[in-house]
Amino acid sequence: MTEERAQMPSPDPPSSKGQEAQRTFNKITDYYDLMNRLMTLGRHAVWCRDVAARTRVPSGGRMLDVATGTGVIALAALKKYPNSTIHAVDFSDRMLTEAASKPGASAIRWQHADANDLPFGDEFFDAVTHGYLLRNVDDVERVLAEQYRVLKRGGRVVILETCPPQGLLRYPVTLGVRVLIPLLGQVVARDRESYAYLQKSTLGFMTPEEVVAILRRVGFASIAWKKKFFGTHMIISAEKQ
Ligand SMILES: C[S@@+](CC[C@H](N)C(=O)[O-])C[C@H]1O[C@@H](n2cnc3c(N)ncnc32)[C@H](O)[C@@H]1O
């Protein structure tokens, strides 16, 4: 199996939602890690380690972190599976530059790529991960189908994503997210607008059940999920059979 797709067609430019995400993430790179720590009260790093652990990459295997951002999941995976090859892609060059400057990052293969058209051959990876990707794409099914394509049979996808809070916590948590995220963005990063976008995409995304239904349609099985952080985050894992 070759790493690059032979005769790759030139990828489509990012879609409208993709363009907004690309602009936003290129803009907020400098404050990304700090803001993430503040917005999740330090839990983001723990969830990324959890995501890495759930991939169960075999020794000598290959893992891909899509929409790697500043590389937190990719670096956690490298620590957990030092004998594996970790690839990490993103369509924000500023995020990739930041990720590649972190300690230990030189062992990871960083690459510019759009999640809609991954530049890898079929069945190349033992595991695929991503954090906070799906709410930024126009076509969730296409992006998950692309991940299914590059996974080997028996390979796992592990997803970290936000979800709209439900039940009793729905109203207080929604209000907290609406007020706190743009406020933190204004005070810490001096950029209320970008964090208003993040707040909107967080509350507007799918429930775990909706993502699971798409994973099933794409062909994934053995699907498991759990919610985190007052029902605002989810970790979902699934297997290609
Ligand atoms: C919120 S950040 C998440 C970064 C990292 N995964 C984490 O958990 O901290 C979302 C990242 O997804 C990237 N992204 C969004 N849509 C993408 C796409 N279609 N292809 C590649 N990267 C994308 C953005 O550039 C950004 O770096």
Side-chain angles (χ1 to χ4, degrees), residues 196-208:
Y197 163 78
L198 292 186
Q199 173 267 116
K200 250 194 312 175
S201 61
T202 298
L203 292 173
F205 192 60
M206 298 174 183
T207 62

Side-chain angles (χ1 to χ4, degrees), residues 25 32 36 44 67-69 90-92 95 113-116 131-133 136:
F25 289 105
Y32 182 79
N36 243 357
H44 177 249
T68 194
D90 200 290
F91 69 7
S92 160
M95 290 294 236
D114 190 323
N116 289 287
Y132 309 138
L133 163 68
N136 291 304

